[in-house]
Amino acid sequence: MVLDEREERVAKFFRKMKRTKCLPAHVAIIMDGNGRWAKIHNLSRSQGHRKGAERVREITEEAARLKIKVLTLYAFSTENWRRPQKEVDLLMRLLKFFLSREIKNLKKNNVRFECIGRIEELPPPVVKVIYQAKQETRKNTGLVLNLALNYGGRTEIIDAVNKIIKAKQSGQLTPSDIDEFGFSRYLYTIDLPDPDLLIRTSGEQRISNFLLWQISYSELLFCKKLWPEFSAKDFRNCILTYQKRKRRFGGI
Ligand code: IPE
Ligand code: IPE
Ligand code: MG
C-alpha cells in the first residue's frame, strides 16, 4: 500500500519515537494567540478565534492517532469574562457551534469528551451541548479530549476545599482522608492523571491560572507559534522535545 505524505510523516515520527522514551500520557495545551494571529493577518479577533477553533480538530486527531491518553485544552478561563461582551458572546457561540459539529467526528475517532471548570455558569445552550457531547461519547475508549471551560486553577482549589468541608460536615470524612491523593479526588480532574507535558503557544511564558495543582511536575514547553498556526507537525515536535527531557521528580 502506498502511504500518503501525511501517513509517511507520522510513520517517520513513530520510528523516531520508538528510539527514544515513552509518550506523555497526558498533554495539556494553553491555546494562546488567536487575537495576535488575526491582527498580523489584518482580520478581526473573531476570525482569529474561528481559525483557532479549527486547529482543535487536527490536534485532537493527531493526539488520538499517537495514542496519547488525555489531551486537555484550555479554551476559556475564569478571567476571560473580563473581555468585551461582544468577544465573550462570540466565543460562547463558537463553542456551541464547534461542539455540536464535532460530536460526529469525536465518535468516529473513538474520543471521549470531558470538560473541567465551572460548567454550570456557562450559557444554558452551551451547557446543553456539553452534556450532549459527554453523553454521546461516554462509551468511547480512546483519547479523552478534556476541554477547560470557565476554568481557573484557583477556583478549582477553592471548589475542592468547599466540597471537602461539606463532606466533613456530613460525616463522610476523617482527617487522614486528606493527603495529596485524597485532596486530588476533590479536584475537577478526579479521574485523570497529571499532565506530563504542558504546552503554551504564542510565546508567552506564563501559566495564566491553568491546572495549578496538577502541573507541579509537568514538563513545560513554550512554543513561539500562535495557536491558529500550530500544526500536527508542531505537536509531534513538542512530543519529541518532551522525550528528550530528563524528569527527576526531586530524585537524582
Ligand atoms: C486564546 O487567544 C483564546 C482564548 C483565550 C479564548 P487570545 O484571544 O488570548 O489571543 P491573544 O493572546 O490576544 O493573541
Ligand atoms: C489563557 O490565555 C487562557 C486560554 C488560553 C483560554 P489568555 O490570553 O487569557 O492569558 P493571558 O491573559 O495572556 O495571561
Ligand atoms: Mg491571549
Side-chain angles (χ1 to χ4, degrees):
M1 191 181 73
V2 182
L3 292 174
D4 70 19
E5 203 188 317
R6 183 177 149 77
E7 280 175 333
E8 227 172 83
R9 276 206 312 272
V10 176
K12 194 171 149 207
F13 170 77
F14 267 113
R15 285 196 296 275
K16 209 165 174 182
M17 194 184 78
K18 270 191 197 148
R19 276 189 257 122
T20 52
K21 284 176 289 176
C22 63
L23 277 173
H26 183 174
V27 178
I29 307 182
I30 302 174
M31 309 183 287
D32 196 18
N34 294 350
R36 275 162 285 168
W37 180 86
K39 199 166 181 198
I40 291 168
H41 292 84
N42 247 332
L43 298 168
S44 65
R45 289 186 61 88
S46 317
Q47 284 167 305
H49 290 311
R50 284 201 188 88
K51 191 78 184 168
E54 282 171 24
R55 306 312 307 152
V56 172
R57 182 193 272 187
E58 184 179 335
I59 301 305
T60 303
E61 287 184 353
E62 195 63 15
R65 189 194 272 258
L66 295 173
K67 303 265 183 299
I68 284 165
K69 291 194 167 60
V70 187
L71 176 68
T72 296
L73 301 178
Y74 203 6
F76 193 87
S77 75
T78 45
E79 288 72 35
N80 287 148
W81 297 107
R82 294 178 188 153
R83 296 188 178 201
Q85 191 60 41
K86 227 178 105 195
E87 179 161 339
V88 171
D89 290 346
L90 180 273
L91 284 168
M92 292 301 147
R93 279 203 306 280
L94 202 57
L95 193 59
K96 183 175 163 272
F97 171 77
F98 168 81
L99 263 182
S100 44
R101 192 195 67 185
E102 287 304 306
I103 293 178
K104 220 168 73 194
N105 213 33
L106 296 174
K107 283 160 102 173
K108 192 182 96 198
N109 289 305
N110 194 24
V111 175
R112 179 158 66 85
F113 176 76
E114 284 294 339
C115 49
I116 52 172
R118 286 194 176 166
I119 302 305
E120 64 291 348
E121 290 175 0
L122 293 167
V126 177
V127 177
K128 197 173 154 208
V129 72
I130 286 173
Y131 282 120
Q132 192 191 346
K134 280 176 79 159
Q135 176 68 14
E136 291 194 26
T137 62
R138 73 187 188 286
K139 292 197 176 132
N140 291 351
T141 53
L143 174 78
V144 175
L145 171 63
N146 183 34
L147 272 197
L149 295 168
N150 191 19
Y151 175 88
R154 287 187 170 183
T155 307
E156 178 179 33
I157 293 170
I158 298 292
D159 284 353
V161 170
N162 283 316
K163 281 184 224 160
I164 291 168
I165 293 171
K166 250 195 187 151
K168 173 87 179 129
Q169 282 165 347
S170 60
Q172 298 164 27
L173 203 73
T174 61
S176 65
D177 288 336
I178 298 300
D179 51 14
E180 282 189 16
F181 176 74
F183 184 80
S184 70
R185 304 295 293 166
Y186 286 88
L187 295 169
Y188 305 145
T189 47
I190 173 166
D191 288 321
L192 304 176
D194 288 342
D196 300 294
L197 171 63
L198 171 69
I199 302 167
R200 181 174 189 143
T201 60
S202 91
E204 304 292 359
Q205 301 191 9
R206 56 176 170 264
I207 298 302
S208 301
N209 202 13
F210 194 37
L211 300 173
L212 297 180
W213 171 278
Q214 296 89 339
I215 58 166
S216 61
Y217 264 104
S218 304
E219 291 299 320
L220 309 182
L221 214 162
F222 299 101
C223 162
K224 287 224 169 76
K225 280 223 176 157
L226 302 167
W227 176 251
E229 59 198 16
F230 187 78
S231 65
K233 185 169 180 220
D234 295 320
F235 183 68
R236 289 197 296 275
N237 283 336
C238 287
I239 308 285
L240 284 173
T241 304
Y242 164 84
Q243 291 180 314
K244 288 183 198 125
R245 300 264 180 101
K246 250 204 164 82
R247 302 182 77 187
R248 284 189 286 273
F249 300 99
I252 51 169

